[in-house]
Amino acid sequence: MTKRARNMYLVPYILWIVLFVIAPILLIVYYSFFDVDGNFTFGNYVHFFTPVYMKMTLSSFWYAFLITVFTLLISYPTAYLLTKLKHKQLWLLLIILPTWINLLLKAYAFIGIFGTYGAANQFLELIGIGQKQILFTDFSFLFVSTYIFIPFMILPIFNALEEINPSLIQASKDLGASSFITFRRVIFPLTADGVKSGCQAVFIPALSLFMITRLIAGNRVITLGTAIEEHFLVTQDWGMGSTIGVFLIIAMILIMFLTGTKRKRGARK
C-alpha cells in the first residue's frame, strides 16, 4: 500500500476528530469568554475561583474518587474470579450487558428499588429494621454510580489478567512465595496498566455526572456536571457553563496524562 493510499484512509478519521472532538472543544472555549448578555469578558474565569465553585470542584473530585475506589474494590476481585471460571467469556458478557441498557432506565429502576415502598425497604422491614430513607442520600448516589461503572472497570482489568503469563505465577510459587506475596509482587504489578485504564474510564466520567445527582441524589449531591446542566438549561448562562466545561476538560487531560503509561512487554502469554 502506497503512502498516498494510507493517507486517504486517514481522511475519515481526521474529519471525525476535527468535527466531533476539536470543534466542540473550541466552541466551549469560545463561549467561555462571554457573559449571559453576550459581552466579551474574563469574568467567568474569575468567578470560577470563588468559594462556591471551588467547593463544588472539591466535591466533584471527592465523589469521583469514592466512586472509583468502590468500583475498583469490587471489580478487581470479580475480574480475578472471572479468569478462573470455565465459561469466563460468557460471564464477562453477562456483566457487560447492563451497559447496553439506557442510563435513564437504570436510574428509574433504582428509584423504584430504593423508594419508600421499594424492594430495599421491604427487605429492611422483613429483617426487623424498618423503613429508612435510602433514596436521595449520598449512599444511594454512590451505590448507583458504582453499579453503573463496574463493567467499565472490570473489562480492562480482566484483559490485563488474561495477558499474564501463567509460568510467572507458577515460578513465584515454586520459589516459595505465598499467594499474597505472589499477588503483591507479580499479579498486581503486571495488571497495573489495566487498573489505570479502568480508573480513567470511571474517574473521568464520574467527574461530570449530573443525571444521577438529579434522580438518585435529589440534588443533595452537587457536582460540576450538575452546575453545567443548570447554567445551560436553567439560567441560560452558557458562558459560565462553558467555563466549568473548560476546567473539566483540563482536569480530564491531566488525569489521563498522570495515569497513562507505556505498555510493558514480557508479561504476555
Side-chain angles (χ1 to χ4, degrees), residues 13 47 53 61 109 160 166-168 177 198 202 212 227 252 263 267-268:
Y13 173 75
H47 193 189
Y53 286 99
F61 274 87
S167 62
L168 297 176
V202 173
I212 298 176
M252 293 172 184
R263 194 171 188 82
R268 294 188 176 185

Side-chain angles (χ1 to χ4, degrees), residues 124-181:
L124 292 179
E125 285 188 340
L126 182 65
I127 61 177
I129 296 178
Q131 287 188 355
K132 298 291 181 182
Q133 178 62 43
I134 304 175
L135 199 61
F136 307 141
T137 61
D138 287 0
F139 167 79
S140 61
F141 171 70
L142 292 172
F143 185 95
V144 175
S145 300
T146 300
Y147 163 79
I148 289 171
F149 285 120
I150 279 176
F152 300 100
M153 181 73 78
I154 286 180
L155 189 57
I157 295 176
F158 175 85
N159 290 333
L161 287 166
E162 280 287 276
E163 291 181 356
I164 296 178
N165 192 333
S167 62
L168 297 176
I169 300 174
Q170 188 60 45
S172 175
K173 294 179 179 179
D174 290 343
L175 292 171
S178 64
S179 297
F180 176 75
I181 296 297

Side-chain angles (χ1 to χ4, degrees), residues 197-254:
S197 298
C199 289
Q200 284 182 5
V202 173
F203 189 89
I204 291 175
L207 272 178
S208 54
L209 285 174
F210 70 91
M211 184 187 298
I212 298 176
T213 59
R214 293 283 193 191
L215 299 176
I216 303 298
N219 283 339
R220 292 173 62 90
V221 176
I222 304 298
T223 63
L224 292 177
T226 309
I228 292 174
E229 183 205 20
E230 187 79 16
H231 284 303
F232 272 96
L233 300 181
V234 180
T235 65
Q236 297 294 306
D237 188 354
W238 288 21
M240 195 63 218
S242 297
T243 302
I244 300 172
V246 168
F247 282 101
L248 269 179
I249 292 170
I250 293 172
M252 293 172 184
I253 292 173
L254 288 175

